[in-house]
Amino acid sequence: MTQWRTESDSLGELQVPSEVYYGAQTQRAVNNFPISSRRLPRPFIRAIGLIKESAAQFNLKRGALPEDLAQAIIQAAEEVVEGKLDAQFVVDVFQTGSGTSTNMNANEVIANRAIELLGGEKGSKHPVHPNDHVNLGQSSNDVIPTAIHIAAMESIDGQLLPALQELHAALEEKARAFDHVLKIGRTHLQDAVPVRLGQEFAGYASQLAHGIARVQGCRTHLRELALGGTAVGTGLNAPKGFAAFVRQRLQTRTGIDFVAAPSFFEALGARDAAVECSGQLKTVATSLMKIANDIRWLASGPRCGLGEITLPSQQPGSSIMPGKVNPVLAESMMMVCAQIIGNDAAITIGNSHGNLELNVMMPMIASNLLESMDILANAAQTFARLCVVGITANEAHARGLIEQSLAMVTALVPVIGYDAAAKIAQRSVSSGRTVRELVREAGLLDEQTLEQILDPRRQTEGPSE
């Protein structure tokens, strides 16, 4: 049976479960926002802990906090950083648009844990007060956007870029391995002139290389921190040197070169950097959607589809058709990409609600942005390891399809002209015979010239520079 304690805030008294570290303002948010089961993700909570720990270090240094209180706050904040208090972060993503409820959730958890470390009573606000001590020098309005940027930067550097680089390397390796494999190209899903399978995979690898560069470009503005702007961007109640000290400590803790936002008014009123980053994630997602879908097509069959490649068999594909194996990793990737595109739409709408001095959709923006990074990284790594590295080429089948293609006639155009080549193609359609057979029968070219022109490898190499 739940035991309760009585706490109070500026609105009055409230019952809070006695065992929890959060307090009255968090409990009000729990009561007010029973919207979803979504909570702000671990990278964001870690970022809040880093901010609170760094702030306490500064306030200790300047003598604004006694040694014992400061050290207790620092230890409690460090437990937030390490994830030991994650269960105490209970506020729904769909809450107050500034994220004040989550900032106060952090302040109360850290304050009560610090009180416990000092031998006091949780909920007493003595000797550690969540606002006066843990939130000293800060506002929710600069803490939340700062946490978004810290969490995004750490997720990019620690998770997303390594995963994309791993997938890029896997695609490059397949491009090299398949460079000799000749196959028919396709445009409009119809036969086109020959290509090499390695050329297709090199195109995929290039898409990922561009995507990696785009994500890296997001770092320029995400490294700008709003901390120091406090409530509206003027910096009221932020001590001199506070923001610079915290940025330096955050750099030491994360290895990321954070800088002050050039305008705190921009940094509080808009989430442009988040929109920019989400847009680049969307671009990468559309690239991966194309790559995953192409791989599904190339592996379709295995007997009655294109069947030019074979994917690793990961699980049975049907509850009714024995032996069926589906391209499940590609399908998973495509769903992830669809989710990222949807997240980007919500983030875009969210940024348009930067009303006057404050954006009021920050928790949703934070949640969607970090979810996009997380699922994109996980999907890229899984796709690389469980799908791409195990792809094999069906060389003989792919080569055989080339001879059946009407598009082989394209190479004859410079020699016999477009109209004559078109007639050969029409005869090939009506007779079912190959272009090579029909040209040979018509005596349009000598054998040596015919073999040279219709050499599919030669057709894939193009003019030299």
Side-chain angles (χ1 to χ4, degrees):
M1 184 175 178
T2 302
Q3 300 295 314
W4 300 86
R5 67 175 187 260
T6 301
E7 286 205 26
S8 64
D9 59 14
S10 60
L11 296 183
E13 292 186 344
L14 196 69
Q15 295 295 105
V16 177
S18 58
E19 75 277 7
V20 301
Y21 287 108
Y22 58 79
Q25 290 204 43
T26 302
Q27 187 62 52
R28 288 192 192 279
V30 170
N31 296 344
N32 287 337
F33 308 114
I35 308 301
S36 73
S37 59
R38 292 176 62 180
R39 304 293 181 261
L40 283 158
R42 165 102 281 273
F44 185 87
I45 302 305
R46 169 181 159 81
I48 290 257
L50 287 170
I51 294 167
K52 301 299 179 181
E53 188 272 345
S54 300
Q57 292 281 3
F58 176 81
N59 288 320
L60 171 62
K61 179 183 176 184
R62 74 184 180 104
L65 287 177
E67 176 80 22
D68 58 341
L69 268 62
Q71 292 301 339
I73 292 170
I74 288 165
Q75 181 177 333
E78 193 60 33
E79 291 179 10
V80 172
V81 172
E82 294 170 0
K84 294 178 180 179
L85 299 172
D86 279 1
Q88 302 297 315
F89 286 84
V90 293
V91 180
D92 201 282
V93 165
F94 302 102
Q95 52 165 288
T96 173
S98 62
T100 298
S101 296
T102 290
N103 185 44
M104 284 308 303
N105 191 173
N107 291 334
E108 290 176 340
V109 166
I110 292 168
N112 278 321
R113 175 59 179 141
I115 289 169
E116 183 178 69
L117 291 169
L118 294 168
E121 182 180 350
K122 284 187 293 186
S124 64
K125 299 185 183 178
H126 180 78
V128 181
H129 193 284
N131 299 81
D132 295 339
H133 299 134
V134 182
N135 201 57
L136 185 58
Q138 308 146 61
S139 165
S140 300
N141 297 355
D142 63 353
V143 166
I144 297 301
T146 297
I148 292 172
H149 283 212
I150 294 169
M153 287 288 282
E154 286 205 304
S155 295
I156 286 172
D157 290 354
Q159 184 185 16
L160 181 56
L161 285 176
L164 293 178
Q165 287 159 351
E166 181 175 345
L167 178 55
H168 174 254
L171 291 168
E172 276 202 323
E173 175 55 34
K174 289 301 172 183
R176 289 188 291 269
F178 296 154
D179 185 61
H180 67 287
V181 179
L182 294 166
K183 62 176 296 281
I184 200 67
R186 296 178 182 87
T187 58
H188 304 270
L189 292 180
Q190 305 297 302
D191 298 347
V193 296
V195 298
R196 301 195 299 276
L197 185 59
Q199 290 174 318
E200 284 186 322
F201 274 79
Y204 304 150
S206 180
Q207 282 187 276
L208 257 291
H210 282 81
I212 288 166
R214 290 184 176 105
V215 172
Q216 288 171 329
C218 297
R219 300 177 81 262
T220 299
H221 295 124
L222 284 174
R223 60 193 284 265
E224 298 173 359
L225 300 186
L227 201 68
T230 63
V232 296
T234 60
L236 180 66
N237 291 352
K240 183 178 180 181
F242 171 75
F245 178 95
V246 172
R247 284 196 307 274
Q248 182 59 50
R249 183 155 183 83
L250 290 170
Q251 179 175 336
T252 300
R253 295 295 304 273
T254 65
I256 298 168
D257 183 21
F258 290 111
V259 299
S263 167
F264 287 142
F265 296 96
E266 179 271 338
L268 271 62
R271 299 269 53 81
D272 290 358
V275 172
E276 176 191 24
C277 184
S278 179
Q280 301 296 21
L281 298 180
K282 179 183 71 174
T283 302
V284 176
T286 58
S287 295
L288 289 172
M289 181 82 82
K290 182 252 191 308
I291 292 166
N293 207 20
D294 276 9
I295 285 173
R296 281 199 322 146
W297 276 97
L298 293 175
S300 61
R303 300 286 177 85
C304 303
L306 301 185
E308 294 175 343
I309 63 174
T310 298
L311 306 184
S313 297
Q314 297 296 351
Q315 63 188 60
S318 173
S319 63
I320 189 173
M321 294 176 281
K324 193 172 191 295
V325 178
N326 296 330
V328 293
L329 273 301
E331 291 167 355
S332 173
M333 172 65 82
M334 291 165 65
M335 286 188 282
V336 164
C337 294
Q339 183 65 52
I340 291 167
I341 293 166
N343 285 352
D344 176 69
I347 290 170
T348 301
I349 294 168
N351 191 47
S352 70
H353 289 274
N355 310 121
L356 304 176
E357 276 67 61
L358 185 67
N359 181 276
V360 291
M361 291 201 183
M362 285 195 282
M364 180 275 290
I365 290 172
S367 177
N368 281 17
L369 183 65
L370 295 173
E371 180 189 53
S372 290
M373 290 183 181
D374 184 49
I375 62 176
L376 181 57
N378 292 338
Q381 187 177 75
T382 302
F383 192 58
R385 294 180 182 181
L386 299 185
C387 183
V388 175
V389 298
I391 292 173
T392 56
N394 302 323
E395 296 184 40
H397 175 66
R399 179 67 183 254
L401 292 178
I402 295 174
E403 282 299 309
Q404 304 303 315
S405 171
L406 301 180
M408 286 290 281
V409 79
T410 305
L412 296 170
V413 171
V415 180
I416 66 174
Y418 186 94
D419 290 341
K423 290 179 180 178
I424 294 291
Q426 291 163 0
R427 287 180 59 197
S428 180
V429 170
S430 61
S431 68
R433 300 172 67 190
T434 69
V435 169
R436 190 185 303 271
E437 290 173 330
L438 293 172
V439 172
R440 184 181 287 126
E441 181 181 271
L444 296 175
L445 298 170
D446 63 75
E447 190 65 24
Q448 181 178 356
T449 302
L450 178 63
E451 290 299 314
Q452 182 182 28
I453 292 174
L454 295 187
D455 175 12
R457 173 77 192 202
R458 177 175 171 271
Q459 292 180 39
T460 68
E461 291 174 346
S464 57
E465 290 293 334

